[in-house]
């Protein structure tokens, strides 16, 4: 079940990531697919989850990487170039505990001031679940395997390594909460 916002989000993500970053584009497609499958727990916000999943890593696009912190760069792009919905922009800016990484980068005040965390825990949790259970190539994985993969790719003492070690307990708890909700919701389609 696709709606115009989902389609627009996928088009924007593919335009920005498809050619320059094919592996990131594969991850994005996988996360969006997970979001479509998980959207049944969100009711009217299902389309917003899929759109956020499609756009969560758009800030990695080389032409958008101004600060080098993809959640902030992506959110600014969506706000400034597309006038995107504020909730969507805030989800992208804060996806997967981005504020913790922003602290590691000295950007937490900037991120929090420009894009406050969305006070919609289920929507925020669902996006974390989709991102942290998808491999860099778009396949399914566990949150534990995903965190280990990120640590292996970036190293324990890198900015990303420090961030992911700090965020891991919250990531695991969030994924667990969403898995419970998905298990209790009827499947459709």
């Amino acid at each position: 079940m696709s709606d115009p916002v989902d389609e627009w989000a996928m088009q924007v993500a593919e335009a920005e990531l498809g050619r320059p970053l094919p592996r990131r584009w594969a991850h994005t497609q996988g996360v969006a697919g997970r979001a479509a499958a998980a959207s049944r727990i969100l009711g009217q916000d299902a389309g917003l989850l899929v759109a956020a999943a499609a756009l969560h890593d758009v800030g990695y696009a080389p032409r958008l990487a101004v600060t080098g912190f993809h959640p902030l760069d992506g959110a600014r792009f969506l706000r400034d170039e597309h006038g995107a919905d504020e909730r969507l922009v805030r989800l992208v800016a804060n996806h997967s505990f981005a504020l913790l990484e922003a602290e590691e980068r000295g950007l937490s005040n900037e991120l929090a001031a420009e894009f406050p965390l969305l006070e919609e825990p289920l929507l925020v949790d669902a996006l974390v679940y989709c991102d942290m259970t998808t491999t860099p190539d778009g396949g399914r994985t566990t949150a534990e395997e995903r965190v280990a993969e990120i640590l292996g790719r970036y190293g324990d003492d890198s900015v990303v390594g420090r961030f992911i070690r700090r965020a891991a307990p919250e990531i695991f708890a969030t994924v667990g909460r969403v898995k419970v909700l998905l298990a209790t919701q009827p499947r459709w389609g």
Side-chain angles (χ1 to χ4, degrees):
M1 295 191 153
S2 181
D3 69 33
V5 174
D6 301 356
E7 292 171 15
W8 167 81
M10 288 301 285
Q11 289 170 357
V12 169
E14 182 176 19
E16 298 298 337
L17 299 172
R19 190 173 297 271
L21 299 171
R23 191 170 191 217
R24 185 66 57 187
W25 171 233
H27 169 72
T28 295
Q29 290 173 328
V31 175
R34 295 285 278 171
S39 66
R40 69 183 187 272
I41 64 173
L42 288 166
Q44 68 185 18
D45 285 331
L48 180 58
L49 174 63
V50 175
L55 293 165
H56 80 286
D57 277 353
V58 73
Y60 278 115
R63 80 175 192 89
L64 306 179
V66 175
T67 67
F69 182 46
H70 77 277
L72 185 58
D73 293 337
R76 286 175 172 166
F77 160 72
L78 293 169
R79 178 194 63 200
D80 299 345
E81 288 191 33
H82 290 281
D85 175 82
E86 181 187 356
R87 291 170 70 213
L88 173 62
V89 172
R90 288 169 63 187
L91 280 168
V92 168
N94 289 287
H95 75 274
S96 300
F97 301 99
L99 190 56
L100 293 177
E101 185 175 344
E103 288 173 8
E104 293 288 335
R105 294 176 179 273
L107 294 170
S108 60
N109 290 338
E110 202 169 336
L111 180 66
E114 256 183 270
F115 305 105
L117 185 63
L118 196 61
E119 296 295 329
E120 297 182 52
L122 182 56
L123 196 51
V124 171
D125 283 1
L127 185 56
V128 171
Y129 167 83
C130 296
D131 186 20
M132 295 314 238
T133 60
T134 304
T135 69
D137 297 311
R140 291 182 175 201
T141 191
T142 67
E144 292 78 10
E145 290 170 341
R146 178 84 163 111
V147 166
E149 181 277 323
I150 292 168
L151 280 170
R153 188 166 18 123
Y154 289 96
D156 280 348
D157 292 327
S158 68
V159 168
V160 175
R162 289 189 306 271
F163 146 70
I164 204 70
R165 282 187 287 118
R166 286 179 60 204
E170 290 298 326
I171 291 167
F172 301 152
T174 300
V175 168
R177 285 192 301 271
V178 174
K179 285 170 76 172
V180 167
L181 283 172
L182 288 169
T184 62
Q185 290 294 314
R187 295 185 188 272
W188 44 266

